[in-house]
Amino acid sequence: MSVTHTGFTTRAGHVLVVLAGLLLFAGVPPATAAETFTSFEVGTTAVGRADCGPGSLPESGLQGDVPAEDRLSGRSTAGYRCNMSLLGGHQERGGAIVSATYDHCSYTGTLFPGNFLAPSPGVQVLDVSDPRNPVPTASLTEPAMVTGTWETLKVNKARKLLAATSVPAVQGVGYFSIYDISDCAHPRLLNPGPGTDPLQPLPILSHEGGFSPDGNTYWASGVAPGFVSAIDVRDPSRPRVIWQGLHGLSGHGFGITPDGNQMYLSNIGGLSIFDISAIQRRDPNPVVPQLSTYLWTDGHFNQHSIPVTYAGKPFFYTVDEAGSGGVKLFDVADPTRARVVQKIKLEVNLPENIDSNIRSASGGSVFAYEAHYCTVDRPADPTALACSWFSAGIRVFDIRDPANIHEIAYYNPPAQTGKNLQLTNSAHAVASIAGVPLFDFLPMVQAIGAGKFDPAQALGPRTGQVALGDLSTDWCSAPPNFHGSQIWTTCNDNGFLALQLDNGVYQPPADQDSTIGS
């Protein structure tokens, strides 16, 4: 297998090391402090474009871009698709930030406090037995579920569990709920006491969260500071914190190897690899050594990682949320000296196209064309990678040969222009209202003062009139999960989407795992 090697250099005391924080967990002796590697190489090549077949409605410009002309003309309200089509969906008040799927069901995350305005507040459970007609079956209304699940709503397939922590706004504390989803359309709460009872919070901070592969540990990661908690859920009725550590000034998501012994933990500017085998074994006084840290300059906030193997050799894909870092593939045969062997970027992410990127995304609030969550169709010798890419929609790549990764399909859902006040469970809609540009806000204030404010006009397309933020694209940020040749996900504005991969571009392997990354 031939791959491209992107080298890292060691720079003691470099500014990015400072920004990454104190990258040692509690209990690690200074003598075992691992090396930090910094890369200044910026990917300058985009993956090959998909060859769009019949039924496609392709992008009109750069790969991944929604040009300003399409936004202003209203063309973006038709969306863009290539070898992937919509089977069915469920929008309601929007899809928050992260959702999860399991078996024939989907679970829509919540955004606080907007989800309280929905007909059924809480995490929405959908029966997707018929992807063309998803049916709501339940709403999960425990404290963790109604106060915002952010990036913590995750499934463990091995034990048929669903869990989330409470994250009202960026950072959460205290509440944690875990459910039996054996009957996936009707989850059953397992911990009515610790974590769910308002008087029995757990001592955790959270922004991100997820299970160990065996489902015995749920990890909660706080974004500021980088505080990580291991929650023992072997007995789901009595979750308990068994270890905690501060790994830096800030932290994010992670990936855990199939044996549960290593964690790839995201942070500002990169990630760190930790040996968590002592927690996996349930040692009485666990020590968590840092094995190495990797920092780079073409992505500002690493989101999460996905461990995989090719021909039995360990690798991981890692995703950058902020900046134009895209997705990187690491060879981790030696976890103390892992190396980047491939980068996945769209044309809109390349340095020479940043002006176009900014031009088309202006007014769209915090995010533009950044990757967020990816999934693979199976962990061993994966054949496809699907990624949510904010304003670029859902992107699907052929990854059978790491040296020849190329795009095979994409679906960028129709822009929900003008629906800001309806989509109260959409982080995009809420951020667009909160982050309305000054040139939009001042005319609106003046119109209100003069008694000439027209709500219909305020919610219209951005063509120079007063507007409540820019919904000229959607934000896709949830994991796109494989279900055979379908992909199930949610996007912030459009809500739940069941998508079909068309034109024979993808054949699901027999051992496809439909819950990886969910």
Side-chain angles (χ1 to χ4, degrees):
M1 179 174 62
S2 174
V3 292
T4 302
H5 176 216
T6 302
F8 281 82
T9 59
T10 304
R11 293 270 317 253
H14 188 269
V15 64
L16 287 180
V17 178
V18 176
L19 288 176
L22 306 174
L23 292 165
L24 294 176
F25 279 104
V28 182
T32 67
E35 205 163 6
T36 296
F37 302 88
T38 303
S39 173
F40 298 94
E41 296 184 23
V42 177
T44 57
T45 303
V47 295
R49 282 179 171 238
D51 182 9
C52 300
S56 298
L57 189 62
E59 296 164 331
S60 58
L62 295 170
Q63 180 188 38
D65 190 20
V66 181
E69 290 77 11
D70 284 8
R71 296 169 182 252
L72 292 172
S73 70
R75 163 65 183 85
S76 64
T77 61
Y80 307 84
R81 61 183 183 272
C82 174
N83 301 330
M84 188 153 55
S85 56
L86 177 67
L87 291 175
H90 186 80
Q91 182 180 38
E92 204 176 70
R93 296 283 175 149
I97 300 167
V98 162
S99 61
T101 68
Y102 174 71
D103 196 13
H104 62 276
C105 299
S106 178
Y107 309 97
T108 303
T110 57
L111 187 75
F112 180 83
N115 90 93
F116 283 106
L117 299 176
S120 302
V123 168
Q124 186 84 79
V125 181
L126 299 176
D127 185 331
V128 198
S129 299
D130 177 3
R132 291 175 173 79
N133 183 34
V135 177
T137 58
S139 293
L140 309 182
T141 58
E142 282 67 40
M145 298 294 171
V146 296
T147 56
T149 53
W150 212 266
E151 293 166 351
T152 71
L153 186 65
K154 303 292 169 63
V155 157
N156 179 262
K157 180 181 179 181
R159 296 190 62 200
K160 301 179 182 180
L161 297 175
L162 170 74
T165 70
S166 168
V167 188
V170 182
Q171 183 87 327
V173 61
Y175 296 114
F176 170 76
S177 293
I178 186 166
Y179 300 82
D180 176 354
I181 52 173
S182 299
D183 176 359
C184 71
H186 302 92
R188 180 171 61 89
L189 180 69
L190 296 175
N191 65 317
T196 294
D197 185 334
L199 300 179
Q200 300 183 64
L202 297 179
I204 59 173
L205 296 178
S206 60
H207 171 92
E208 259 274 5
F211 287 95
S212 60
D214 63 10
N216 290 330
T217 310
Y218 182 94
W219 293 83
S221 174
V223 69
F227 190 71
V228 179
S229 302
I231 304 172
D232 188 322
V233 293
R234 288 178 297 180
D235 178 359
S237 70
R238 298 185 61 82
R240 59 192 184 94
V241 176
I242 56 172
W243 180 88
Q244 293 181 317
L246 180 66
H247 71 93
L249 300 178
S250 187
H252 219 178
F254 46 83
I256 299 175
T257 53
D259 59 10
N261 290 332
Q262 286 182 17
M263 173 183 280
Y264 310 129
L265 182 59
S266 303
N267 53 45
I268 294 176
L271 60 83
S272 297
I273 302 179
F274 292 94
D275 179 346
I276 58 171
S277 58
I279 296 170
Q280 178 70 10
R281 291 191 303 266
R282 294 301 191 265
D283 289 358
N285 297 296
V287 173
V288 178
Q290 175 197 7
L291 302 179
S292 52
T293 292
Y294 303 89
L295 304 172
W296 48 85
T297 56
D298 63 341
H300 308 318
F301 208 165
N302 191 243
Q303 174 64 53
H304 78 127
S305 298
I306 308 168
V308 298
T309 58
Y310 283 101
K313 298 178 180 179
F315 294 78
F316 66 87
Y317 287 94
T318 193
V319 187
D320 282 329
E321 175 180 17
S324 290
V327 182
K328 296 174 177 64
L329 175 63
F330 274 79
D331 178 336
V332 69
D334 179 357
T336 68
R337 288 186 174 271
R339 58 195 185 99
V340 174
V341 295
Q342 200 58 269
K343 293 185 177 183
I344 303 174
K345 293 191 177 187
L346 306 179
E347 291 172 3
V348 74
N349 299 128
L350 300 184
E352 64 265 29
N353 295 327
I354 293 302
D355 285 350
S356 297
N357 181 317
I358 295 172
R359 177 179 181 268
S360 62
S362 292
S365 193
V366 182
F367 295 106
Y369 301 108
E370 297 88 1
H372 194 242
Y373 258 88
C374 297
T375 58
V376 294
D377 57 355
R378 62 182 181 184
D381 298 312
T383 71
L385 177 79
C387 297
S388 57
W389 215 284
F390 278 102
S391 289
I394 303 300
R395 321 296 298 201
V396 184
F397 307 94
D398 183 323
I399 60 169
R400 289 173 294 178
D401 178 2
N404 183 32
I405 294 175
H406 55 280
E407 192 167 43
I408 57 173
Y410 58 79
Y411 183 86
N412 199 344
Q416 301 299 293
T417 306
K419 296 183 180 179
N420 302 65
L421 299 183
Q422 300 173 35
L423 300 172
T424 56
N425 195 44
S426 162
H428 183 210
V430 172
S432 294
I433 294 173
V436 62
L438 185 63
F439 58 82
D440 287 330
F441 181 73
L442 289 180
M444 183 168 67
V445 172
Q446 293 167 356
I448 293 172
K452 299 179 180 179
F453 177 63
D454 181 355
Q457 183 186 38
L459 296 177
R462 290 177 60 89
T463 55
Q465 76 269 35
V466 179
L468 288 178
D470 183 350
L471 295 191
S472 59
T473 64
D474 199 344
W475 277 359
C476 294
S477 59
N481 293 309
F482 288 92
H483 290 258
S485 61
Q486 297 174 20
I487 287 177
W488 297 358
T489 189
T490 59
C491 291
N492 276 223
D493 301 337
N494 280 269
F496 173 76
L497 302 170
L499 305 172
Q500 175 68 53
L501 285 157
D502 299 324
N503 299 319
V505 297
Y506 174 73
Q507 298 298 323
D511 56 348
Q512 179 193 96
D513 188 337
S514 64
T515 62
I516 291 179
S518 66

